Amino acid sequence: MAQSKALLVLENFIGGKFIPCSSYIDSYNPSTGDVYCKVPDSGKEEVEAAVKAAKDAFPIWSSKSPLERSQILNKLADLIEHDLEAFAQAESKDQGKTITFARTVDIPRAAYNFRFFASSILHQVTECTEMATMGCVHYTSRAPVGVAGLISPWNLPLYLLTWKIAPAIACGNTVVAKPSEMTSVTAWMMCKLLEKAGVPHGVVNIVFGTGAKAGEALVCHPDVPLISFTGSTLTAQRITEKSAPHCKRLSLELGGKNPAIIFDDADLSQCIPTTLRSSFANQGEICLCTSRIFVQRGIYSEFLKRFVAEAKKWKTGNPSDPTVDVGALISKEHLEKVRNYVKKAQAEGARVLCGEGVDALDLPLGNQKGYFMLPTVIAEVKDESCCMQEEIFGPVTCVVAFDTEEEVIKRANGVKYGLAATVWSSNVGRIHRVAHRLQSGLVWTNCWLVRDLNLPFGGMKASGIGREGAKDSYEFFTEVKTITIKH
Ligand code: NAD
């Protein structure tokens, strides 16, 4: 660990050692607008060293039994849990999210990711079939692939990075990971725990830096046969192009434009608080956040009135204040982008009912240069408007009315994305019908963000390729072979 003046200076973690970089990128505290951290600006050279370390570590790590790897993953989970508060403080400072969210969601889940795959790797079974007439049995065997390249975004930094590292190493791969250059601190903190957990040198290597330099060097490296990426659809297109000459295996978890469909028989006492969370949790910076709310006409006015009244109660301010619900957005540029969506909606004739441009933002003195925005509800937005078509990824949600089931399914499916949808109704038959017809990798009915990590996670259409989960991640991070034995 290196500390210069008040600035935190991160180092790459390669082959079990912290290694300084020749150049650095500024990293901002989103709640104050100050530079507080220097992140290595790694490129080809650093990625080369990390891939070499990962390759060297592969033979020993891949030959360990699942039980041995499982014990190490559990130990790492213990160590993260032990330091939960320090991790939560760091994540909140680095990302702008509220300390409450970091304490209750990000860091517990990061630890749980290791615990979950420590367990699930012990319970994977391969297939076997018998072909009696030929006197043969066939079975499949699975082996780790090699060095996995893992690239993660800034919205749930340690949570999403560990969701990739845990299954990759549980399966016996070694990894080179590149977190977002905007949120690198908790990944760097985790590196300090690896040795204590018993992770051999070179099994987990973390190279910090930008997507264009460090990310692309990893994507283009010939000795990295698989890339697991979570981020925007645009970046995924670039990664697909760059990796194509190497025929790499890709898992792509991308953006969303998630609908909530609220029928007139919905229980609004459950639906309203949950839809507020699904719209504004983590400043709306979750790929699964709701940004199009379709409400059946009979309850539209009542829903809107109650929803806006509750949205106004969400407190925006200093993320380290435990009473705050909405922290800072990730960057000045991102805040500007999100604000512009609201301006465009207004210019198109939509009504902004609360939040941006309507209500006053009252910030503590120390946070006035931070990247804050109030939860914003927009009504009367046309389906073809950019606010209803593009991923905004901020605390902005659009509410529109619908009449029939048939109509709302068509409108909900009328975007390029297909990640997550939410359906609210007390009619079980309707819930099943609608869930089946939505073009969405995940459908939550009468709830949101309730996850069983065993089951597939991921999107369809422009929201991604592949799924993650106990079986899906196991399959992605292993190479399968079919063996036939004639007896
Ligand atoms: P991003 O695509 O800009 O960046 C994601 C990561 O890719 C970062 O580490 C970045 O440095 C890297 N990167 C950028 N350009 C690259 C390149 N050319 N080659 C290799 N790597 C490159 O996304 P973001 O702004 O960090 O994250 C927000 C996006 O992530 C949103 O679209 C959101 O919906 C999506 N997301 C999806 C999921 C999911 O599970 N489906 C989860 C969280 C976030």
Side-chain angles (χ1 to χ4, degrees):
M1 165 180 165
Q3 199 109 27
S4 96
K5 293 187 193 153
L7 290 185
L8 183 63
V9 182
L10 310 190
E11 292 171 329
N12 287 320
F13 188 73
I14 299 174
K17 291 195 183 72
F18 285 100
I19 301 182
C21 196
S22 55
S23 58
Y24 288 84
I25 313 162
D26 287 339
S27 182
Y28 293 80
N29 174 341
S31 72
T32 62
D34 297 329
V35 172
Y36 86 106
C37 173
K38 294 273 182 193
V39 174
D41 185 13
S42 311
K44 275 190 183 152
E45 198 183 311
E46 291 77 9
V47 168
E48 186 62 48
V51 172
K52 183 177 181 311
K55 266 181 83 176
D56 291 349
F58 182 73
I60 290 183
W61 184 247
S62 58
S63 62
K64 283 193 188 294
S65 70
L67 183 60
E68 284 173 293
R69 295 197 293 259
S70 166
Q71 284 163 342
I72 291 173
L73 264 68
N74 269 322
K75 179 81 180 144
L76 187 53
D78 292 343
L79 293 169
I80 295 172
E81 272 164 5
H82 180 268
D83 290 353
L84 191 145
E85 184 57 24
F87 273 105
Q89 295 281 352
E91 202 72 297
S92 168
K93 185 172 181 179
D94 205 28
Q95 204 275 341
K97 65 180 66 233
T98 66
I99 184 65
T100 308
F101 201 83
R103 267 185 199 139
T104 57
V105 179
D106 288 76
I107 308 306
R109 172 62 189 276
Y112 187 66
N113 285 337
F114 286 108
R115 222 175 272 304
F116 177 79
F117 284 104
S119 164
S120 86
I121 194 64
L122 301 178
H123 306 289
Q124 296 296 342
V125 287
T126 54
E127 296 153 300
C128 179
T129 60
E130 190 178 3
M131 214 180 240
T133 51
M134 301 294 291
C136 287
V137 287
H138 309 276
Y139 68 93
T140 58
S141 79
R142 286 196 168 263
V145 186
V147 179
L150 313 177
I151 301 177
S152 58
W154 49 256
N155 63 324
L156 299 164
L158 194 64
Y159 172 137
L160 288 174
L161 186 69
T162 52
W163 176 236
K164 296 184 185 304
I165 294 178
I169 65 172
C171 292
N173 302 281
T174 55
V175 308
V176 177
K178 194 209 79 66
S180 168
E181 60 276 29
M182 286 188 269
T183 52
S184 296
V185 173
T186 48
W188 169 79
M189 286 169 68
M190 187 185 70
C191 294
K192 295 195 247 176
L193 305 179
L194 294 175
E195 191 165 39
K196 201 165 171 197
V199 179
H201 291 177
V203 171
V204 175
N205 306 277
I206 304 211
V207 174
F208 299 102
T210 65
K213 268 176 77 181
E216 279 203 25
L218 188 55
V219 166
C220 297
H221 200 293
D223 294 337
V224 178
L226 71 175
I227 298 285
S228 173
F229 168 78
T230 299
S232 65
T233 303
L234 203 64
T235 305
Q237 287 164 346
R238 174 97 184 154
I239 288 177
T240 305
E241 268 174 39
K242 287 278 163 187
S243 63
H246 304 278
C247 295
K248 295 197 181 200
R249 185 184 297 195
L250 297 180
S251 165
L252 305 172
E253 296 292 346
L254 315 177
K257 188 67 194 169
N258 311 309
I261 300 175
I262 303 170
F263 286 97
D264 55 13
D265 58 355
D267 174 358
L268 289 187
S269 69
Q270 299 281 324
C271 168
I272 289 176
T274 307
T275 308
L276 283 158
R277 272 197 312 117
S278 74
S279 298
F280 303 129
N282 205 46
Q283 301 69 245
E285 295 169 331
I286 304 181
C287 55
L288 306 167
C289 272
T290 302
S291 62
R292 297 179 293 147
I293 306 177
F294 295 93
V295 187
Q296 204 159 17
R297 202 164 307 272
I299 56 163
Y300 179 73
S301 304
E302 186 198 348
F303 175 89
L304 205 55
K305 198 167 126 212
R306 286 170 62 179
F307 188 76
V308 170
E310 291 301 314
K312 281 173 178 270
K313 291 184 191 159
W314 277 49
K315 185 172 165 189
T316 302
N318 189 345
S320 60
D321 174 349
T323 67
V324 158
D325 306 295
V326 183
L329 273 69
I330 184 69
S331 67
K332 201 172 174 176
E333 295 72 25
H334 188 58
L335 174 64
E336 220 30 61
K337 179 182 150 196
V338 177
R339 280 183 171 152
N340 275 334
Y341 275 108
V342 181
K343 284 190 196 130
K344 279 187 210 162
Q346 274 170 318
E348 288 171 0
R351 278 196 306 139
V352 180
L353 300 178
C354 66
E356 177 66 18
V358 173
D359 300 302
L361 183 54
D362 184 18
L363 293 169
L365 261 183
N367 297 106
Q368 302 209 340
K369 290 196 186 133
Y371 317 132
F372 294 92
M373 181 172 173
L374 290 167
T376 299
V377 181
I378 309 179
E380 287 148 39
V381 201
K382 294 191 183 72
D383 283 7
E384 57 278 14
S385 144
C386 60
C387 282
M388 288 287 279
Q389 292 291 325
E390 295 169 22
E391 185 182 49
I392 299 176
F393 219 54
V396 178
T397 198
C398 299
V399 188
V400 292
F402 75 91
D403 292 297
T404 67
E405 187 178 309
E406 195 61 29
E407 169 208 337
V408 78
I409 292 170
K410 197 163 171 235
R411 291 172 68 190
N413 287 341
V415 293
K416 69 174 181 176
Y417 295 105
L419 185 56
T422 312
V423 182
W424 291 88
S425 170
S426 49
N427 178 332
V428 178
R430 172 147 69 192
I431 280 177
H432 283 288
R433 271 196 314 273
V434 176
H436 279 283
R437 292 184 61 197
L438 287 172
Q439 295 165 350
S440 183
L442 303 145
V443 180
W444 279 293
T445 69
N446 297 326
C447 64
W448 177 70
L449 209 59
V450 181
R451 287 268 295 117
D452 177 347
L453 304 191
N454 282 295
L455 298 189
F457 175 93
M460 41 179 87
K461 295 157 77 177
S463 291
I465 294 179
R467 297 291 186 271
E468 296 175 327
K471 188 161 174 278
D472 297 270
S473 299
Y474 174 66
E475 288 178 355
F476 178 74
F477 286 112
T478 54
E479 191 73 81
V480 68
K481 186 182 291 175
T482 301
I483 299 170
T484 302
I485 310 285
K486 188 163 163 57
H487 51 84

